[in-house]
């Protein structure tokens, strides 16, 4: 019987009144360890009141902290010996009385055989530790066994230390918790908070840290946009009021050129983002940074496409205001930096990333409270105007826009070598040129970056390299030394989605008329552009029209843009024979042949018709679906790997969260729900298995073919370097888990909690589908009894009921 329950015949006076306890596995650490409110049945001599072992332990810790010198031994010295009839009952949840520091020392000494402060399947210790129960004051002992429970114990001890606990009463349920529930809970209550940043007086010290900074000048530095004088004065005030930060405050020029960006590469800094006014307790007004989520690890700033996927996870976890703040920061970047940045560091000022703003803002808008309809519409109008500006000035303007094909490309302007890479990243590229001049790689790199050495071949290489980084797919043989020439299927599908989103938003929310500030690059419609070209070809220019201060947009023109792009995608990128979309090389004017999972972006955006979607599911999906999810590209497209031609992290055999999420949403949009569930389960299984086997790890990426996060590839893996307990996971990996769980039915979630191999799971589901089909046929023929008997017999034989 549960401690909080009693038979109806029991009188209230028969037992002390006990609190109703929350589920111990769902309580966040800040509640679980900050309060000692779990009551035990132990009684001490001289007191008729019930006192819990956790309270006794807390008292002991308080006395020790105040210099009383009391130890756990003296605290339990006069406790009456428990009788055997009072031992723990099997039906009662077990709780352990734990000396936090000593138990942590013991578990590391005994189990952490490789010395990484984690308990994983690679450790070769006995994988068992004995703990005493709280109800017996530590007298009765029970074994905690296995990698998963021991790693959870190590994590819980670390959390207890965070809250200053020397002794805790720990529920066994937190050690053998269903791994799906545990990981989802950690993401919701811990990881998002661990990844949240603000750029203001309170958050500057954390956000200024840049593991990618290789310059000699490592002082924290913030760059403020031109014209943001109030923000500039705020940060100057922070530098004075907090001299310990040693903060340097710089203002950007009105025009940001590649030359300027290169000139500050030796003085890298964080770029200011949106701020709001905040009234403090005393009534004074100050500015506060709008919060945002960073990916994690060495990526300690707000990234472009990462933020979109992170926002999906935030929305799944009910973190609406944080997701809304991400949109606000993107709008700020477009308004003040001209684009959504690769990330808000100074060396990214000329580089953007894949565009997701329209879908992101609409998903947030749909969840805003209906009672604030007017304010919500005003908020959406600001975001929509920013998206239109980004679309026109970034993606539909040269050098990113290709006027011949009418499609867009990734193309980041810049000078020299990208400074955020590891020191030796480009050594293999620079070495032949350095050897030819008899210089060291370091000396040649310095001269090249300064412009003293001119090398057109290197200029071309770095043009494409910057484009690859702008694409987010850095790096892959798919884009190697050609990216700036490619109209990729993923980018143009995203822009098709922009066009449809903008059209539908103007039509359904803004009465089919929306005004934005005048943009020099804007053509009022596709027909106007054709008319202008026709007039120019006939040798007669058009009379210049007076410049209007605003431009009016209608849904018709944006639907037309989408129609034109869809037609061009089908002409240049669709391969009917192979049943998938490919990138298009605008320089060579030919379709590429690299088989990439980004073909499914066309389904996410909705620009593939039904026939093409079915062709992709039949022809393309089998190329990319592997044990652990969807792989980035095929092995044949990647080619042979040698010492001189190493693995690239966005190629086979690696899988990434954004590709999984994009594909699930695309499959769902066309009604392929079994494929959604199957590919989603594979990915969540990969995450869950690593979480169980490797002390709660949630990394940046996986080798989904060989089923490991320990990858031998250029940048290694992010999210794996922690002690005792993961604090952040990784941004879009966290999101993929929370979003993916929304696609799991009860049977799949149960199988995932048991970490069942996908092959076995879907063999069983396939048998169930056949069984259901056969039983349905019998039932339709009127053989109800035979249908039921056949279903029961086959289900029992196949063990289908377990799934």
């Amino acid at each position: 019987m549960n401690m909080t329950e009693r038979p109806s015949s029991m009188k209230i006076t028969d037992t002390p009144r006990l609190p109703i306890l929350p589920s111990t596995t769902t309580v966040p650490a800040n509640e679980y360890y900050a309060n000692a409110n779990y009551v035990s049945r132990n009684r001490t001599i001289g007191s008729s009141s019930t006192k819990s072992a956790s309270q006794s332990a807390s008292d002991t810790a308080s006395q020790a902290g105040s210099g009383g010198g009391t130890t756990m031994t003296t605290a339990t010295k006069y406790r009456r010996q428990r009788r055997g009839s009072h031992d723990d009952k099997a039906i009662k949840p077990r709780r352990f009385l734990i000396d936090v520091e000593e138990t942590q020392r013991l578990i590391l000494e005994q189990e952490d055989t490789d010395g990484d402060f984690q308990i994983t399947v690679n450790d070769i210790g006995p994988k068992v530790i004995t703990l005493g129960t709280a109800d017996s004051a530590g007298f009765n002992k029970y074994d905690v066994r296995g990698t998963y429970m021991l790693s959870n114990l190590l994590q819980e001890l670390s959390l207890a230390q965070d809250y200053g606990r020397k002794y805790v009463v720990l529920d066994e349920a937190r050690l053998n918790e269903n791994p799906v529930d545990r990981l989802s809970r950690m993401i919701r209550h811990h990881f998002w908070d661990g990844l949240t940043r603000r750029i203001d007086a309170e958050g500057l010290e954390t956000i200024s840290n840049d593991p990618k900074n290789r310059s000699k000048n490592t002082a924290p530095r913030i760059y403020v946009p031109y014209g943001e004088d109030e923000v500039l004065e705020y940060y100057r005030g922070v530098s004075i009021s907090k001299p310990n930060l040693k903060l340097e405050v710089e203002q950007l020029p009105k025009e940001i050129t590649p030359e300027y960006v290169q000139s500050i590469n030796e003085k890298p800094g964080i770029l200011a983002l949106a701020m709001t006014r905040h009234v403090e307790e005393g009534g004074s007004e100050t500015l506060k940074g709008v919060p945002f989520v960073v990916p994690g690890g060495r990526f300690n700033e707000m990234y472009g496409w990462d933020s979109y996927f992170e926002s999906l996870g935030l929305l799944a976890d009910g973190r609406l205001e944080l997701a809304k703040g991400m949109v606000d920061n993107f709008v700020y970047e477009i308004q003040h930096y001209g684009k959504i940045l690769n990330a808000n560091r100074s060396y990214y000022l000329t580089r953007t990333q894949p565009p997701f703003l329209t879908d992101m803002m609409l998903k947030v808008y749909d969840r805003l409270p209906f009672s604030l309809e007017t304010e919500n519409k005003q908020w959406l109008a600001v975001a929509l105007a920013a998206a239109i500006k980004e679309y026109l000035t970034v993606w539909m303007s040269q050098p990113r826009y290709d006027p011949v094909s009418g499609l867009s490309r990734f193309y980041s302007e810049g000078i020299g070598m990208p400074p955020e890479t590891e020191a030796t990243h480009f050594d293999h590229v620079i070495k032949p040129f350095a050897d030819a001049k008899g210089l060291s790689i370091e000396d040649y790199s310095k001269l090249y970056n300064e412009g003293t050495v001119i090398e057109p071949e290197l200029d071309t290489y770095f043009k494409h390299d910057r484009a690859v980084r702008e694409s987010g797919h850095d790096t892959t043989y798919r884009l190697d030394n050609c990216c700036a020439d490619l109209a990729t299927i993923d980018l143009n599908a995203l822009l098709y989605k922009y066009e449809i989103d903008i059209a539908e938003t103007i039509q359904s929310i803004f009465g089919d008329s929306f005004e934005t500030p005048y943009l020099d690059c804007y053509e009022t419609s596709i027909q106007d552009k054709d008319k202008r070209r026709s007039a120019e070809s006939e040798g007669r220019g058009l009379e210049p029209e007076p410049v209007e201060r605003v431009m009016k947009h209608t849904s018709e023109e944006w639907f037309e843009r989408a129609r034109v792009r869809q037609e061009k995608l089908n002409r240049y990128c669709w391969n009917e024979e192979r049943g998938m979309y490919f990138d298009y090389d605008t320089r060579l004017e030919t379709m590429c042949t690299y088989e990439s999972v980004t073909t499914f972006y066309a389904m996410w955006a909705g620009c593939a018709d039904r026939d093409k979607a079915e062709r992709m599911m039949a022809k393309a999906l089998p190329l990319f679906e592997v044990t652990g999810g969807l792989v980035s590209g095929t092995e044949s497209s990647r080619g042979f790997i040698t010492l001189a031609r190493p693995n690239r992290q966005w190629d086979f055999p690696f899988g990434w969260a954004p590709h999984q999420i994009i594909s699930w949403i695309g499959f769902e949009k066309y009604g392929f729900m079994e494929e959604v569930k199957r590919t989603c389960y594979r990915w969540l299984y990969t995450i869950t298995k690593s979480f169980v086997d490797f002390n709660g790890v949630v990394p940046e990426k996986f080798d989904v073919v060989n089923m490991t996060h320990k990858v031998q590839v250029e940048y290694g893996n992010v999210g794996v370097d922690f002690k005792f307990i993961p604090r952040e996971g990784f941004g879009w990996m966290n999101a993929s888990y929370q979003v993916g769980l929304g696609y799991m039915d009860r049977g799949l979630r149960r199988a995932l909690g048991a970490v069942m191999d996908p092959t076995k799971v879907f063999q069983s589901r396939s048998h169930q589908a056949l069984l259901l089909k056969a039983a349905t046929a019998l039932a339709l023929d009127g053989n109800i009894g035979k249908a039921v008997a056949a279903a029961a017999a086959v289900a029992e034989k196949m063990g289908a009921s377990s799934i």
Side-chain angles (χ1 to χ4, degrees), residues 328-568:
D328 292 337
N329 281 315
F330 274 173
V331 170
Y332 185 92
E333 288 187 341
I334 293 170
Q335 291 172 342
H336 295 285
Y337 304 119
K339 61 182 72 69
I340 292 176
L341 299 171
N342 185 157
N344 63 317
R345 295 281 179 192
S346 57
Y347 41 77
Y348 290 136
L349 275 165
T350 62
R351 195 188 308 165
T352 184
Q353 274 205 320
F356 283 94
L357 178 57
T358 58
D359 193 69
M360 186 175 173
M361 72 186 188
L362 289 173
K363 280 184 165 53
V364 170
Y365 177 77
D366 287 343
R367 288 165 175 78
L368 294 175
F370 184 75
S371 60
L372 301 175
E373 183 178 5
T374 301
E375 293 89 336
N376 298 343
K377 190 174 178 180
Q378 292 172 346
W379 176 85
L380 181 63
V382 174
L384 179 62
I388 291 173
K389 177 183 178 181
E390 180 206 13
Y391 171 90
L392 293 171
T393 61
V394 176
W395 299 113
M396 294 301 289
S397 298
Q398 293 189 28
R400 292 179 178 86
Y401 176 70
D402 174 45
V404 177
S405 68
L407 298 174
S408 301
R409 306 165 294 198
F410 292 110
Y411 194 115
S412 173
E413 295 178 297
I415 298 173
M417 302 161 59
E420 79 275 11
T421 59
E422 288 78 358
T424 60
H425 183 77
F426 295 113
D427 282 5
H428 68 290
V429 177
I430 299 297
K431 189 176 188 307
F433 299 96
D435 289 346
K437 288 190 175 292
L439 297 172
S440 68
I441 292 175
E442 183 179 359
D443 288 342
Y444 187 92
S445 299
K446 183 175 184 297
L447 293 173
Y448 175 74
N449 282 329
E450 292 174 347
T452 304
V453 169
I454 305 298
E455 180 47 68
E457 189 175 342
L458 277 180
D459 293 344
T460 300
Y461 174 87
F462 286 113
K463 175 187 72 173
H464 292 303
D465 181 82
R466 283 188 293 270
V468 171
R469 297 175 192 283
E470 183 169 274
S471 78
H473 294 80
D474 46 329
T475 60
T476 163
Y477 289 112
R478 167 193 169 211
L479 307 177
D480 196 30
N481 214 27
C482 63
C483 186
D485 295 330
L486 302 185
T488 64
I489 173 57
D490 42 312
L491 172 58
N492 286 279
L494 293 175
L495 293 175
Y496 173 87
K497 184 69 160 56
Y498 259 48
E499 292 154 350
I500 290 294
D501 286 345
I502 292 171
E504 292 180 345
T505 302
I506 291 173
Q507 184 181 65
S508 62
I509 299 177
F510 293 103
D512 212 9
S513 179
F514 186 77
E515 293 185 351
T516 64
Y518 177 80
L519 300 171
D520 291 337
C521 67
Y522 184 68
E523 302 268 1
T524 56
S525 68
I526 300 297
Q527 289 82 358
D528 283 352
K529 184 177 291 186
D530 293 340
K531 182 180 178 182
R532 183 181 300 276
R533 287 176 180 167
S534 175
E536 290 173 349
S537 66
E538 294 175 10
R540 53 184 178 84
L542 295 177
E543 291 294 325
E545 298 180 1
V547 176
E548 298 179 350
R549 304 314 300 168
V550 298
M551 298 300 297
K552 292 185 178 180
H553 303 263
T554 64
S555 62
E556 181 182 4
E557 66 178 272
W558 286 94
F559 279 128
E560 176 64 9
R561 287 178 181 273
R563 185 198 66 78
V564 171
R565 190 178 300 274
Q566 183 182 41
E567 186 273 325
K568 292 180 182 299

Side-chain angles (χ1 to χ4, degrees), residues 636-657:
S636 58
S637 290
R638 180 203 64 184
F640 290 107
I641 297 302
T642 65
L643 288 176
R645 192 176 185 273
N647 266 322
R648 298 286 177 82
Q649 63 178 3
W650 286 91
D651 289 326
F652 182 93
F654 305 109
W656 292 78

Side-chain angles (χ1 to χ4, degrees), residues 92-387:
K92 178 184 174 184
R94 188 176 294 136
R95 297 184 298 161
F96 300 113
L97 182 61
I98 297 176
D99 179 325
V100 174
E101 186 175 343
E102 176 60 21
T103 307
Q104 185 184 77
R105 183 198 63 78
L106 178 62
I107 193 173
L108 289 174
E109 182 181 275
Q110 175 180 293
E111 302 292 346
D112 181 24
T113 58
D114 57 9
D116 62 355
F117 297 94
Q118 300 175 18
I119 308 301
T120 72
V121 291
N122 292 337
D123 290 307
I124 56 175
K127 295 292 172 69
V128 59
I129 193 169
T130 303
L131 301 176
T133 63
D135 282 351
S136 69
F139 181 79
N140 287 337
K141 307 289 185 182
Y142 288 89
D143 289 343
V144 172
R145 294 179 176 273
T147 298
Y148 180 60
M149 289 188 71
L150 288 172
S151 68
N152 286 348
L153 174 58
L154 184 63
Q155 293 172 48
E156 294 296 330
L157 294 176
S158 182
L159 290 171
Q161 285 183 322
D162 289 348
Y163 294 95
R165 301 300 298 276
K166 296 183 182 297
Y167 299 94
V168 292
V169 173
L170 180 63
D171 291 83
E172 187 180 30
R174 290 180 83 90
L175 303 183
N176 59 18
E177 183 180 2
N178 182 300
V180 176
D181 297 338
R182 183 177 179 86
L183 176 51
S184 182
R185 176 174 60 81
M186 291 178 71
I187 293 170
R188 185 168 57 253
H189 292 301
H190 300 290
F191 289 178
W192 291 134
D193 290 337
L195 292 171
T196 300
R197 304 284 188 272
R198 289 205 328 258
I199 308 179
D200 54 24
E202 287 73 31
L204 266 169
E205 187 169 5
T206 301
I207 193 65
S208 294
N209 178 42
D210 184 7
K212 299 182 300 304
N213 182 2
R214 294 192 286 111
S215 70
K216 296 178 181 178
N217 192 336
T218 58
R221 187 178 296 102
I222 184 166
Y223 286 92
V224 180
Y226 178 85
E228 287 285 88
D229 295 335
E230 184 181 9
V231 175
L232 181 67
E233 289 306 311
Y234 170 82
Y235 287 118
R236 284 175 175 169
V238 172
S239 68
I240 295 171
S241 62
K242 293 194 171 186
N244 59 298
L245 290 179
K246 299 180 180 179
L247 178 68
E248 297 180 11
V249 183
E250 304 277 353
Q251 187 167 35
L252 293 169
K254 185 175 183 179
E255 183 180 0
I256 300 172
T257 64
E259 289 79 10
Y260 171 77
V261 175
Q262 188 194 35
S263 74
I264 61 173
N265 277 345
E266 288 302 312
K267 300 192 303 179
I270 196 74
L271 299 174
L273 293 179
M275 304 192 82
T276 58
R277 297 190 182 280
H278 177 76
V279 179
E280 297 183 323
E281 290 184 5
S284 61
E285 192 175 80
T286 186
L287 297 177
K288 288 282 186 183
V290 174
F292 55 92
V293 169
V294 302
R298 68 174 179 267
F299 304 115
N300 187 37
E301 48 272 319
M302 182 177 175
Y303 277 77
W305 72 325
D306 293 70
S307 294
Y308 168 72
F309 297 103
E310 289 157 0
S311 71
L312 298 183
L314 291 170
L315 292 173
D317 282 336
R319 306 291 289 269
L320 176 61
E321 282 304 310
L322 189 50
K324 181 173 178 282
M326 306 274 271
V327 175
D328 292 337
N329 281 315
F330 274 173
V331 170
Y332 185 92
E333 288 187 341
I334 293 170
Q335 291 172 342
H336 295 285
Y337 304 119
K339 61 182 72 69
I340 292 176
L341 299 171
N342 185 157
N344 63 317
R345 295 281 179 192
S346 57
Y347 41 77
Y348 290 136
L349 275 165
T350 62
R351 195 188 308 165
T352 184
Q353 274 205 320
F356 283 94
L357 178 57
T358 58
D359 193 69
M360 186 175 173
M361 72 186 188
L362 289 173
K363 280 184 165 53
V364 170
Y365 177 77
D366 287 343
R367 288 165 175 78
L368 294 175
F370 184 75
S371 60
L372 301 175
E373 183 178 5
T374 301
E375 293 89 336
N376 298 343
K377 190 174 178 180
Q378 292 172 346
W379 176 85
L380 181 63
V382 174
L384 179 62

Side-chain angles (χ1 to χ4, degrees), residues 432 553 575 598 605 786:
H553 303 263
N575 187 309
T598 53
K786 290 183 179 180

